[in-house]
Each structure stands twice: as C-alpha cells, then as structure tokens.
Amino acid sequence: MPILGLSIASQLNSPVKAEIKPSSSDAMENQTVGNGLDIAANHHPAILHLLAEELSVKPEEIKDFELHLFDTQPSCLGGVNEEFIFSPRLDNQMTSYCALEALIESVSEESDAIVEAQANPNVNMIALFNHEEVGSVSTTGAESSLIPTVMSRLSPTSESLARTIARSFLISSDMGHGIHPNYTSKYQQNHRPELNGGIVLKTNAKQKYTTDAVGSFFIKQLVAKRNGSVQEFEVRNDMTCGSTVGPLLSKLGVRTVDVGLAQLSMHSIRETGGSHDARAGMDLFLSFFQGFAELDRELSLQ
C-alpha cells in the first residue's frame, strides 16, 4: 500500500508472521490477544493512529471500521465553455442528484398547481440504493425488500397492491457510456451518445436493460414536454453489456425503462460528464413527476 506511505510500505506488504500463543499467565494479563477483540492485530498502527487523530479518540477505543479510499479533490466545471463536469462518482450520483432535485422542485407552488389540476395524481418517490456495482444483493441494495415493503405499506390490501403495481412506472436511471473519440469503432453507427446530448435511452436484446416500446414511448413524450432530446443506445451484439437495477426491480411486475446520461471515464477515480446534461436529467424527472398520470391515461395499447 504505497498510497498510505512509502516509509511503511515494506511492512504493510510483508508476509503475515505466525502468531505465538501466550502462556496462561500472559493470557490472564492480556485477554484480548488472539480472541479477535484487538484490531491492532489486523491493522498497521499508522492507520489506527491516523483514524484516532481524525476522530479525536484513542487508538484502543476503535473497535472496528470500514475504510474506503476516494478522491478528495472537489468536483469542478471544465472546458472552454465549462461544458464538462470533472468529478468522482458521477456514476451514479449524477442522476441520483437529478432525481432528488426534481423531486424537491416538484413540490414547489407552481408544480403543485399542475399536479392538483390532474385527476388521480401520483405518489412520487425516488429510491437511491447502495452496492449497485457489486450486485445489489445487500440489505440496502436494489434487490432488498425496500421497494416491495414501501409499496405494500402504501397499499393496505392485496387488491390495492395489485392495482398499484399495475399502474406504477419505474425509471431506472444510471449513467451511460458516451462516445469516446479514440474508440468510435466500439459503437454502433446510430448508437453513439454524446456528452450534453440529452437523455440516453438504453436498450438491450438480452434484457440487460428493461426498455421496451412502452417505456421508450413514455420517455420520449416526457422529454418532449420540456423540449429536451433523446439519444438511443444499444451496445454492439458482439460485445458484452453491463446492467442496472432496472431488471432487478422489474421483477415486481412494475413497468420499467432504463435511461441515463452520457459520460466518459466511467469507474475511474475521476469521471467526466456534461454540465448541460444535469438540467436534462432534472427536466426528465420533473416532467415524469408532473405529467406521467395524464400521459398514462392517454396511452392505448393495441
């Protein structure tokens, strides 16, 4: 771990030495050795002292911890016209931010007037999950019981729950791979999302994304209401494709669609996105919160 400090790198990377069991008298004096309670056996003293200093506690008061390394440099705008966002964790805090801001904006006085004018307004909510990149199978991941539990609590009977599921619609929003000028051959000719090009509508024949004709219709109509633009994206059929929480949540029976915003350097410690796309994302969610119920009533499937 040279990132922690070159002076102790050899110690941190050295093989673990065999532990010597203490005698009975030593065990009485030091009952924590070997029983798992002393975390000093698992971590270098330099790490414990650093954490203790930051927390204003003694090293021995730290009983356990989860530690993650991340970029501490603040996010910033860049480019000649500040058309780029340079930031860690754009995937997927950017569309999470867009959804949250739109939800806040949707309860403003002007937005309330729009919703109140509609019959049967929606229950609008967003869900921000952990561990999407590692399978979503934790208690705070998308495959947990959170969404089914919330829907059940909003629907007191099994019949009302069934109606809720049938009438609901879910937008699975995650960042997408923008066209990279050095790797244009990796993209289909008509599926090259550009930064600041608006909403990316994701489709996959193997159902890695949930987008179908119905979901595509809704997104295009909602984006058009605020004069936005939609970019189509489908990965080449000879290349593997990632996935999102959309397929996991669609198992509930809720209509689902997968969208995103284009970015470069996905999963790098510092990623690049389009600054104008933030507004595009917020506009989509705001249009969804305000106008989905009416749009859904107008839809006729043949």
Side-chain angles (χ1 to χ4, degrees), residues 24 55 71 79-81 109 121 138 152 227 264 292:
S24 58
L55 298 172
D71 184 10
V80 176
N81 299 309
E109 185 175 347
S138 67
S152 296
N227 300 316
L264 299 176
F292 171 75

Side-chain angles (χ1 to χ4, degrees), residues 203-210 241-247 258:
T203 307
N204 183 260
K206 295 181 179 180
Q207 300 303 299
K208 296 289 187 178
Y209 304 133
T210 57
C241 177
S243 190
T244 67
V245 300
D258 270 289

Side-chain angles (χ1 to χ4, degrees), residues 12 16 36-45 47-48 63-65:
L12 292 170
V16 178
L37 296 180
D38 182 14
I39 65 169
N42 299 325
H43 304 286
H44 194 280
I47 300 177
L48 295 177
K63 302 306 178 184
D64 211 339
F65 58 85

Side-chain angles (χ1 to χ4, degrees), residues 104-117 226 286 290:
I104 295 171
E105 191 173 342
S106 71
V107 295
S108 66
E109 185 175 347
E110 179 182 354
S111 184
D112 280 346
I114 296 174
V115 174
E116 289 174 3
R226 301 187 73 87
L286 186 58
Q290 292 177 342

Side-chain angles (χ1 to χ4, degrees), residues 65 103 166 199 259:
F65 58 85
L103 186 64
I199 299 300
V259 302

